[in-house]
Amino acid sequence: MENSEPVKSCLPLWRRWLWPFSQLGSAFKLTGTHLLHHVIGASLIAAMMLALEGLHVLEWLDAAMLRASALQGQGQLLKRSEDPGAAYRPGIIEIDQPAFERVFDEREPLERTRLEQLIASAAAHAGTVLAIDLDLAPAVYEQHKAGERALDRLLDQLAGSGRQLVLILPEQSDQNANLPWIRARCAAGIHFASAQIRERMGAVTRIELKSPVLAAVAFELAHGADEQEQKQPMPAVLSQQKEGLALADRVCELARRAGSEKELARWAFEPVIHGDAKAAAEQNAVTAPFHPAAVARQFINPTRMRASLIDGQAGVAAVAGRKNAVYIGSSYDVRNRYTTAEGEQAGLHLHAAAHASLGIGTADVNKYVVFVADIVIGVLLGCLFGGLWILYGRAELAIDQRLQDHDFSRLHRLRTLFEFYAIRLMLLLVWASPFAIGALAIYLSRGLLEQGWWVNPGPLIAGMFLHAMSLRNEAHHPHEEVPGLSVWAQLRRTHPGIVLVQAPLAVVLLIIAVI
């Protein structure tokens, strides 16, 4: 490095122009030692991410990346022209803000006579299943009308005529006042489910598979437990639990022997899996990621019908084709909105999207495939960041040598000042590189998300950037290759921390993730 300037000045003009490119090429030239250095670093970060993801420690980062991805696409993720879940997508009858104002006069709880009219109208447009995402339990002012409500008589009549009705469990009431109402509706042949939507650190990414939530129960009633199991099979390791797949009758069976509403809620929605499995593993076994096509607005919007006044009665103004399953609910309450890959969406739309997602079929990408992919991408990132740090180290060494010169001419001082600011700009660009790559990764991850794969490249990019910083000083103090030493021995001599600390730690974290 001391003779770089004389050598450069002796070169012909055309080679002087190519000299920066030769420096760039040599900075990114890989030796076996450098490559092994990056492989170990990438393996450590991939094993750490695998272990932390299994413990759900990185869910906040997944949610943040999902929100950034949703904002970047402005709610338009898919470019497909055909809906892959069209055969399973249910209809939606919603009480939006205009309907809440005009049909229900902005009253809560919703006026029961108008609800009765709306459900009767919806039943005429539904096929087999009517899933109602509304609390239909008697309000406080109705509790003295036990067995006399016209709404209850309509529900029981629809169920008796062969219609499959799914209601959501009402909020827990004082003195368990709603429990007799639940049992009476069960006796009439009505099913119950939970309106729960799993939210992970502020974003909705997954659907319930084996718990009696609204979408799972409605899908089972519409298509049968066998098709549900075929579309979303229970993991083989949990096959002993398959006898518990019938979700539609679970709540009613438990309601007959539950002593309180609190006890019923706890029994009905406890994890399906028992035994010695860890809580995190149990959670993943009974959930799956939303299929992106299922939640895409371009496919949900054509299935929506608005409640409106027709001849003075609540009903459905427009019919988007007869659907095998129809969901009724509200979308006016801002408290019932969730962040998804398609931006903010109402809970009612997510129930319908979960129904379609169950039909399309979705599952997590094999974690070991992700682990190997993380290592490959990590090595590539390590080579890139390592080369950038070596380039910066060489430029820093060159400016240090120039500052030691005794040439005090004006041209020399101006050139030195220019190079000083250039090296600072270069350092800024090096530090900005992981942010630029991260932004590109968010953009590219939308393509994977469209295929049902959600990846979070943030930790890998940040980790490999910091890992590559250890190569920064090699421009100042290059390591000499010792003839006869293996790559492993050479790495142990030049970077003992990589061999003695990072490599064993990567193995330990991988064992923890697997176990």
Side-chain angles (χ1 to χ4, degrees), residues 230-483:
Q230 181 181 359
K231 290 290 182 179
Q232 299 290 170
M234 179 74 82
V237 69
L238 305 169
S239 59
Q240 69 274 14
Q241 297 295 335
K242 289 187 177 182
E243 64 272 12
L245 286 178
L247 301 176
D249 298 321
R250 180 183 298 175
V251 177
C252 285
E253 289 175 0
L254 293 171
R256 285 193 288 269
R257 53 190 175 90
S260 67
E261 294 174 29
K262 182 178 180 181
E263 188 179 51
L264 170 61
R266 186 177 72 250
W267 285 356
F269 304 108
E270 66 182 357
V272 176
I273 302 137
H274 306 283
D276 298 327
K278 294 181 180 179
E282 291 177 357
Q283 186 183 63
N284 276 344
V286 294
T287 66
F290 260 108
H291 193 284
V295 77
R297 296 179 188 274
Q298 68 205 63
F299 300 142
I300 288 180
N301 287 340
T303 67
R304 295 164 59 188
M305 298 171 277
R306 175 189 291 179
S308 60
L309 283 176
I310 303 175
D311 298 329
Q313 292 191 338
V316 183
V319 179
R322 189 177 180 87
K323 294 287 187 177
N324 190 33
V326 172
Y327 283 69
I328 306 176
S330 64
S331 61
Y332 62 84
D333 194 343
V334 295
R335 296 168 297 180
N336 193 30
R337 296 183 182 276
Y338 302 87
T339 297
T340 72
E342 282 288 311
E344 190 178 73
Q345 297 209 38
L348 173 65
H349 300 164
L350 292 183
H351 288 306
H355 188 114
S357 195
L358 284 167
I360 299 171
T362 177
D364 290 296
V365 181
N366 185 284
K367 62 181 180 180
Y368 300 111
V369 173
V370 176
F371 176 74
V372 173
D374 281 344
I375 293 178
V376 173
I377 296 173
V379 171
L380 296 176
L381 289 173
C383 296
L384 172 63
F385 293 138
L388 291 176
W389 278 118
I390 289 176
L391 277 176
Y392 172 74
R394 290 180 180 178
E396 190 178 44
L397 181 61
I399 192 65
D400 288 344
Q401 292 175 346
R402 183 174 295 281
L403 290 173
Q404 296 174 5
D405 290 345
H406 299 289
D407 186 350
F408 300 106
S409 65
R410 180 180 180 85
L411 179 61
H412 182 272
R413 290 199 303 270
L414 289 176
R415 182 178 176 182
T416 303
L417 185 63
F418 173 78
E419 291 186 3
F420 178 82
Y421 283 113
I423 190 64
R424 297 306 161 195
L425 177 60
M426 184 178 181
L427 179 61
L428 179 63
L429 294 176
V430 172
W431 277 101
S433 62
F435 296 98
I437 293 174
L440 178 62
I442 292 176
Y443 178 80
L444 294 177
S445 68
R446 296 186 63 78
L448 295 176
L449 188 58
E450 182 175 338
Q451 306 302 320
W453 294 3
W454 172 245
V455 294
N456 189 348
L460 185 65
I461 294 172
M464 290 310 299
F465 178 76
L466 297 176
H467 173 80
M469 287 181 66
S470 60
L471 299 176
R472 172 179 174 177
N473 291 328
E474 290 202 9
H476 294 270
H477 309 286
H479 298 292
E480 295 182 0
E481 296 287 341
V482 178

Side-chain angles (χ1 to χ4, degrees), residues 135 137-138 140 143 168-179 182 260-267 269:
D135 188 345
V140 174
Q143 290 180 355
I168 60 171
L169 268 183
E171 295 288 336
Q172 295 179 21
S173 58
D174 295 335
Q175 300 178 347
N176 299 308
N178 288 334
L179 190 56
I182 295 171
S260 67
E261 294 174 29
K262 182 178 180 181
E263 188 179 51
L264 170 61
R266 186 177 72 250
W267 285 356
F269 304 108

